[in-house]
Amino acid sequence: MAGERSVKGKITKAFGSKAFKSGGYSLLASVIVIVIVFALNLAVGALPANWTKFDMTDTGMFSLSDQSKELVKSIDEPVTIYVLQSGSNGETVYELALQYRALNSNITVEVRDPVANPGFVQQYTDEQLGYGVIVESARRTATVSSSSLYRTELSTDGSYQYYFEGESLITGALDRVTTDALPKIYRLVGHGETELSAALTESIENDNFELADLSLLSMDSVPEDADCVLIHRPSSDLSEDDAAKLASYLEGGGALMLFTEYPAGELTNLCALAADYGLAPVDGLVVERNASYYISGYPLFLLPVLGEHEITSPLTHEQSYILVPGAQGLTTLDDARDTLNFTSLMQTSKDAISKLKGTELDTTEKEEGDIDGPFDLAYAVTEDNEDGQARFIWVASGSITEDSADSIVSGANTGFILNSLGWLTGKDSSVTIRSAAITNNYLTLTAGAATAWSIVFTVALPLAVLAAGIVVYVIRRKRV
């Protein structure tokens, strides 16, 4: 009994000791800290992704542009973004999708494993999406394949440029599934028109336009569901019958977008149609002589000033250049109807000239007969009538639609085209988001800017370093 009391006493004493109390306090404090950390993790996990994750990439791969934010915030119906992910495959897209969910509670992001559940994708499409995206609303669905999320371009120096298209495609898909009706654009065929490049076609379709070919030869008129007719670089003239059908379509409140090559004046019936809306081509091929308005070394590759219009305002805001190769000038006719409204979308400097020798020119200097600038390179024309408003855009350069020109100005040419189609069709928004460059992106310099920077780095900077060295040397000599 005495032994038991002795043991109990020792135990009681041990529990009452300072060491035990100190250890107990430490244990309790540790438990409290663990609980707090666990609760904080739960709380932080419930916060929007844009509060807890930061985009550290140079090109903002995981950040949304103002255009995306505006569109996403306007969505007032439930939309689900299904990210096809298996392991680390699709993780980049998932991180981007969370940015959309963070902006609008109507957007839900869910992950589906296409390897474990291949039947899920087959419910929506027969296309191989890989680790892509499916966006669904009560109206319709839109799909984005993993192959379209990344784009590769061969640059002029032979290197490859890699781009991430995630934001543009997902924002476009959200726009598509929440839009009441998709504008329909008919591409005129039958006059040697140049096909749109695959990249431009994809951009137009991703911006939620429907594209279809139109041959007027077997039709009495332009289809009633045409929101716009696109004539792209025809090599032969319209027939009088085709021109009449297009004229009737415009009179009924239609929309027409025209891209022509030099010399457009040889397309007599097409020019007659344009003349009815107050426009005509200027003779010759435009050569820019102000170094601030063309690509360095290429005075036929024009960098015009953008006019004031809702088509060009987003590009002006971003301080983007439009590259217009091989352009012809446009002018308004003196006898144009008073009901026509003209807006120049892009213009050269006053130093530009139009060379009458055209593609056979052997000098960029002014010769006898050459015409002085400035020259308008694209016009937007409207006319109100009883059946609505006719809208007409003429761009006097076919090469503006080429992928090579677009890549030099980092997609700004495509942005201009999409904005133009959006304005022509009355579309509320156009998705003209730039691709995020995974490698380097182009810096567009005018010839004047290239010369100025060359002087800075080859003359001014070395002289400044030399001067600084001399000053330091003199100061040290005086101290001695």
Side-chain angles (χ1 to χ4, degrees):
M1 293 293 292
E4 276 183 41
R5 283 196 297 270
S6 176
V7 171
K8 287 181 179 179
K10 290 179 180 180
I11 293 174
T12 302
K13 186 176 180 181
F15 275 103
S17 68
K18 290 183 178 179
F20 179 82
K21 290 180 180 179
S22 176
Y25 293 146
S26 298
L27 177 62
L28 179 62
S30 298
V31 171
I32 292 173
V33 169
I34 291 171
V35 171
I36 292 174
V37 169
F38 182 74
L40 283 174
N41 279 333
L42 290 177
V44 170
L47 292 173
N50 58 345
W51 289 14
T52 60
K53 296 182 179 181
F54 303 95
D55 187 356
M56 303 299 290
T57 60
D58 292 337
T59 55
M61 282 180 61
F62 304 106
S63 300
L64 299 183
S65 64
D66 291 340
Q67 187 179 133
S68 286
K69 291 176 181 178
E70 183 179 348
L71 186 146
V72 170
K73 290 177 181 179
S74 68
I75 294 175
D76 58 1
E77 58 188 283
V79 178
T80 302
I81 301 175
Y82 294 104
V83 178
L84 305 179
Q85 182 179 353
S86 180
S88 60
N89 293 315
E91 188 174 349
T92 299
V93 180
Y94 176 71
E95 293 295 333
L96 179 61
L98 293 179
Q99 302 298 320
Y100 290 90
R101 185 181 68 181
L103 291 175
N104 192 325
S105 60
N106 286 314
I107 296 176
T108 303
V109 176
E110 297 186 15
V111 175
R112 294 291 186 271
D113 189 334
V115 177
N117 184 13
F120 176 77
V121 176
Q122 295 171 5
Q123 299 175 49
Y124 296 94
T125 179
D126 294 330
E127 182 186 357
Q128 296 297 319
L129 298 183
Y131 299 102
V133 177
I134 298 172
V135 182
E136 182 180 29
S137 72
R139 303 171 189 263
R140 60 182 72 88
T141 61
T143 60
V144 177
S145 67
S146 57
S147 60
S148 65
L149 287 168
Y150 297 91
R151 176 169 56 89
T152 304
E153 285 186 2
L154 180 64
S155 66
T156 53
D157 63 3
S159 63
Y160 287 95
Q161 311 295 320
Y162 301 95
Y163 298 92
F164 179 58
E165 305 276 5
E167 183 192 357
S168 174
L169 294 175
I170 294 176
T171 299
L174 288 168
D175 187 28
R176 186 179 187 86
V177 302
T178 55
T179 298
D180 291 330
L182 304 180
K184 191 162 188 177
I185 298 172
Y186 281 96
R187 295 171 292 198
L188 192 66
V189 297
H191 314 90
E193 291 86 356
T194 301
E195 288 189 11
L196 299 174
S197 72
L200 180 55
T201 298
E202 185 177 24
S203 294
I204 293 172
E205 291 176 340
N206 287 339
D207 199 29
N208 302 320
F209 295 99
E210 289 188 26
L211 283 172
D213 290 337
L214 171 64
S215 174
L216 291 172
L217 185 63
S218 59
M219 305 188 72
D220 295 330
S221 62
V222 175
E224 292 184 0
D225 64 343
D227 293 294
C228 177
V229 174
L230 173 63
I231 305 178
H232 183 243
R233 305 169 72 171
S235 59
S236 60
D237 198 13
L238 304 178
S239 66
E240 292 184 3
D241 190 41
D242 285 357
K245 292 172 185 176
L246 289 170
S248 177
Y249 166 69
L250 285 172
E251 290 170 5
L256 175 64
M257 186 161 195
L258 172 63
F259 294 93
T260 56
E261 301 275 19
Y262 171 84
E266 295 180 357
L267 306 175
T268 307
N269 293 326
L270 181 59
C271 284
L273 175 64
D276 192 43
Y277 283 84
L279 295 179
V282 177
D283 291 336
L285 191 63
V286 176
V287 173
E288 181 59 76
R289 297 194 298 166
N290 186 323
S292 297
Y293 294 86
Y294 66 86
I295 292 289
S296 179
Y298 299 92
L300 291 173
F301 284 58
L302 314 178
L303 298 171
V305 176
L306 299 182
E308 294 185 4
H309 195 278
E310 62 184 88
I311 291 172
T312 55
S313 61
L315 300 166
T316 302
H317 177 71
E318 295 176 356
Q319 297 183 330
S320 298
Y321 287 102
I322 300 294
L323 177 57
V324 189
Q328 195 167 3
L330 296 175
T331 186
T332 56
L333 298 174
D334 293 336
D335 59 352
R337 296 186 297 277
D338 293 337
T339 52
L340 294 170
N341 299 298
F342 302 94
T343 302
S344 172
L345 300 178
M346 52 184 77
Q347 189 181 69
T348 69
S349 77
K350 61 181 179 57
D351 300 314
I353 57 174
S354 187
K355 299 287 294 182
L356 296 187
K357 288 184 179 179
T359 54
E360 297 180 358
L361 61 87
D362 51 15
T363 178
T364 58
E365 296 302 316
K366 186 179 179 182
E367 300 175 292
E368 185 177 354
D370 290 342
I371 304 170
D372 291 322
F375 301 100
D376 298 302
L377 308 177
Y379 264 105
V381 184
T382 62
E383 183 176 39
D384 294 321
N385 51 51
E386 295 179 357
D387 298 313
Q389 185 182 72
R391 295 188 173 191
F392 174 39
I393 290 178
W394 186 355
V395 182
S397 166
S399 298
I400 191 175
T401 64
E402 293 181 358
D403 295 343
S404 56
D406 190 48
S407 65
I408 291 174
V409 287
S410 303
N413 281 13
T414 293
F416 169 78
I417 294 166
L418 295 181
N419 290 347
S420 297
L421 293 174
W423 176 76
L424 286 166
T425 59
K427 188 171 178 286
D428 291 335
S429 62
S430 289
V431 181
T432 56
I433 298 162
R434 303 287 185 85
S435 308
I438 299 175
T439 53
N440 56 303
N441 209 341
Y442 282 109
L443 173 64
T444 305
L445 290 179
T446 65
T451 301
W453 282 111
S454 177
I455 294 172
V456 168
F457 286 109
T458 61
V459 179
L461 189 58
L463 287 176
V465 172
L466 179 61
I470 293 172
V471 170
V472 171
Y473 174 77
V474 170
I475 292 174
R476 287 182 176 177
R477 289 282 296 176
K478 287 182 178 180
R479 288 178 179 175
V480 174

